[in-house]
Amino acid sequence: MASVLGESEVEDDEMTEMGSYRGKVKVLRDDQESPAEEIMLLWGIQQPTFSKPNSFVSQSSLQLRLDACGRSLSILQSPSSLGAPGVTGSVMWDSGVVLGKFLEHAVDSKMLMLQGKKVVELGAGCGLVGCIAALLGAQVAFTDLPDRLRLLKKNVEANLRDGDLRGSAVVKELIWGDEPDRDLMEPLPDYILGSDVIYSEEAVMDLLDTLTQLCGFQTTIFLAGELRNDTVLEYFLEAAMKVFVIGRVEQTQWHPDYCSSRVVLYVLTKK
């Protein structure tokens, strides 16, 4: 509860709408001290190291079941791949569940409209977030590295094969830092989604390069991350502020059953 109370004390004049999201977010100040202050705030108020990790997932399980959009989704995982260097997309993380359920809650609350919108999910992993977006009516391009696509395709096909699907889904290879395929960029997406994509300093600049290429002035980005490494997150914020306006979505606007002090949710728009 400390995190919700702390964030609610922010002055109204610091809260504003960003992009296509109709909720009010706390916009980070655009100065050199802001990233460090944000890290101190998150770790000081939310105290992520004192709360239980993986509240909504079981990474040792071969399958995750989650109710969303009136359906029971079944997401396959590959726990045996988790130990491989740099492999995090083979299992679900709390940030993915939080982001997916946030999208559902935001659409139900009329804060967001995904019907008919073009969505690109970066580092889609097991595909939960994009599946929920497609069920909410979005035209979703799920993207990830070549060796992650087999599991991703299985989950997309298993959960989005019904004829009454409101949106659409396609799975595509995308290596951050490389030029995206033309169909990802023409037209530029309405939304870009990412969960647990800020995980190493080495990947930050390639991630930002891809975000910059895919993002137009009408694009809204939602990034949910695990609060596990303050140095990496601060490095990302410092670099991202040069290109994007960044706002933090407070937990009072998340799905009430899917809040976690170990997760942060940002919305970004191009300057």
Side-chain angles (χ1 to χ4, degrees), residues 35-184:
E37 291 176 0
E38 173 73 358
I39 297 303
M40 290 178 64
L41 180 68
L42 290 174
W43 262 261
I45 292 181
Q46 297 191 193
Q47 298 186 323
T49 55
F50 292 103
S51 60
K52 179 179 176 290
N54 301 329
S55 299
F56 309 126
V57 301
S58 173
Q59 295 178 340
S60 61
S61 172
L62 294 175
Q63 197 171 54
L64 170 73
R65 294 190 180 276
L66 183 74
D67 291 335
C69 308
R71 301 197 187 194
S72 179
L73 302 182
S74 179
I75 304 295
L76 298 175
Q77 302 187 119
S78 178
S80 61
S81 302
L82 188 57
V87 176
T88 59
S90 61
V91 295
M92 284 300 306
W93 299 84
D94 278 354
S95 57
V97 178
V98 166
L99 179 55
K101 294 299 288 187
F102 163 77
L103 295 176
E104 180 184 17
H105 182 64
V107 169
D108 289 345
S109 304
K110 312 299 184 187
M111 297 288 187
L112 202 61
M113 203 276 281
L114 293 181
Q115 181 66 48
K117 301 299 184 181
K118 181 177 179 179
V119 171
V120 174
E121 184 181 7
L122 301 180
C126 296
L128 173 67
V129 175
C131 284
I132 292 177
L135 291 172
L136 293 168
Q139 300 168 354
V140 182
F142 300 73
T143 70
D144 214 322
L145 297 171
D147 60 348
R148 319 286 164 82
L149 298 186
R150 187 165 177 265
L151 178 63
L152 178 56
K153 286 178 180 177
K154 280 185 178 181
N155 282 325
V156 170
E157 291 167 0
N159 291 284
L160 301 179
R161 60 189 171 197
D162 292 354
D164 61 347
L165 177 65
R166 292 173 57 195
S168 63
V170 61
V171 175
K172 298 187 70 67
E173 173 186 327
L174 177 59
I175 299 172
W176 298 346
D178 290 357
E179 184 174 352
D181 285 352
R182 179 175 296 181
D183 55 355
L184 292 177

